[in-house]
Amino acid sequence: TSTDGARLTYSIVDMALDGGLGDVVSGQSRIRLDSPTLFTEKMTAVAGDSCDVWLMTMKFGAQEWMAFRITDAGFDTTPVVSPTNTSIATYRNGYIAFSPDRHKLANVVGASDFTGPFMGTLEISDFDPATGIVSNVIDLVPQAKKPSLIFSRGVAFSPDGTKVYVTSDSVYQWNLAAGTTADIIASRIGVMSGVPITSALKTGPDGKIYITHEALAYGFLHAIESPNLSGMACNPVKDAVALKANTLGRQGVPNTVAVAIPRPTEYVRHPDTTVCITTSGNLLE
């Protein structure tokens, strides 16, 4: 790593090794990816449309999305590059998250830089899981109001994809189904105050959104109990989950492991039918 960015490496795992438990293939560990490039902390993965997975990250200092395709043939080291089209100069901090339908990408920008005032924002972009292309970015915090979001970091979508939540000086909610871009911007509401700005958000398998704490000795997770609902109806609850004894949750949470969507299998059986193609291209039975 460096002070301004990080390297990205990957390893090849063979699940047939170690008695079926899986292990890293000898000589295929910590392979440096795109070695001249430095990356920000933003990274997550999502299933593609062709039995593949996209690893999404951001190139440091260049305002470019980089989507690396992973298939059963291996890791494609040539990324699909998309511009961020942002007004924020530097992307050093903040999480990214894909919507449940895989067609939206949320990007939390922690600060414009480290020399001036902290000014965060939230960007929502379209994502094409077939091509890995990011497009049509929408900035949901107008420039004049960016200081009001201070230093933001965590982000999560509601299970139905209509709401997005961000941690800052509060946990904020936007209603992505509100209507126009102006309507979505105006829908922002703080639903839980007193949450550390570095807290992470994670949508659990039970449909609730869980929130970590910054303190070293904090044995609870906060929760948004009904994140599909608008405003305070989302039911934010502090200290909703007590962690196991001698277990602490602080700041970050693990990324979700993206699993490729299997290709559809079709069986066609016509034992008594003969199909002929004419010179004009028409089918005759």
Side-chain angles (χ1 to χ4, degrees), residues 28-111:
Q28 298 293 303
S29 174
R30 299 180 65 185
I31 303 167
R32 180 169 287 184
L33 184 66
D34 196 13
S35 57
T37 300
L38 291 174
F39 298 88
T40 70
E41 70 175 1
K42 299 175 184 293
M43 184 172 65
T44 192
V46 66
D49 279 352
S50 302
C51 201
D52 53 0
V53 168
W54 293 103
L55 175 67
M56 180 66 71
T57 185
M58 183 174 283
K59 187 175 181 179
F60 177 79
Q63 298 187 35
E64 291 179 338
W65 290 111
M66 305 187 79
F68 294 91
R69 188 169 180 245
I70 305 169
T71 69
D72 53 4
F75 203 115
D76 188 343
T77 57
T78 301
V80 175
V81 179
S82 304
T84 61
N85 296 325
T86 183
S87 59
I88 299 296
T90 306
Y91 282 99
R92 296 174 188 252
N93 301 95
Y95 285 81
I96 58 176
F98 285 102
S99 61
D101 69 358
R102 302 175 295 130
H103 287 276
K104 295 291 183 183
L105 175 64
N107 173 35
V108 171
V109 181

Side-chain angles (χ1 to χ4, degrees), residues 49-281:
D49 279 352
S50 302
C51 201
D52 53 0
V53 168
W54 293 103
L55 175 67
M56 180 66 71
T57 185
M58 183 174 283
K59 187 175 181 179
F60 177 79
Q63 298 187 35
E64 291 179 338
W65 290 111
M66 305 187 79
F68 294 91
R69 188 169 180 245
I70 305 169
T71 69
D72 53 4
F75 203 115
D76 188 343
T77 57
T78 301
V80 175
V81 179
S82 304
T84 61
N85 296 325
T86 183
S87 59
I88 299 296
T90 306
Y91 282 99
R92 296 174 188 252
N93 301 95
Y95 285 81
I96 58 176
F98 285 102
S99 61
D101 69 358
R102 302 175 295 130
H103 287 276
K104 295 291 183 183
L105 175 64
N107 173 35
V108 171
V109 181
S112 59
D113 54 50
F114 286 125
T115 60
F118 289 138
M119 297 189 298
T121 193
L122 169 65
E123 296 173 345
I124 301 291
S125 302
D126 291 336
F127 176 73
D128 186 347
T131 64
I133 293 174
V134 180
S135 60
N136 301 324
V137 62
I138 299 174
D139 190 340
L140 295 186
V141 183
Q143 186 68 39
K145 295 185 178 180
K146 287 192 188 328
S148 69
L149 202 56
I150 313 179
F151 186 95
S152 49
R153 193 171 193 186
V155 63
F157 283 91
S158 61
D160 68 357
T162 64
K163 311 297 186 301
V164 64
Y165 295 83
V166 166
T167 51
S168 181
D169 55 332
S170 175
V171 176
Y172 288 100
Q173 178 203 80
W174 281 261
N175 183 358
L176 301 180
T180 66
T181 298
D183 293 332
I184 295 172
I185 291 173
S187 73
R188 187 182 86 177
I189 180 175
V191 297
M192 183 186 291
S193 61
V195 175
I197 57 178
T198 56
S199 294
L201 300 173
K202 189 73 171 180
T203 305
D206 57 0
K208 300 178 182 180
I209 293 178
Y210 294 95
I211 307 165
T212 62
H213 204 277
E214 186 178 35
L216 284 172
Y218 205 80
F220 294 87
L221 296 177
H222 309 315
I224 305 295
E225 301 278 347
S226 304
N228 291 337
L229 301 182
S230 298
M232 297 305 294
C234 71
N235 193 18
V237 179
K238 287 189 176 181
D239 298 346
V241 178
L243 300 179
K244 186 177 179 180
N246 300 317
T247 300
L248 303 173
R250 182 171 185 250
Q251 294 191 353
V253 291
N255 269 313
T256 300
V257 177
V259 178
I261 299 173
R263 293 185 178 94
T265 302
E266 296 182 0
Y267 298 93
V268 180
R269 188 168 182 264
H270 294 288
D272 59 349
T273 302
T274 300
V275 177
C276 299
I277 303 176
T278 69
T279 55
S280 63

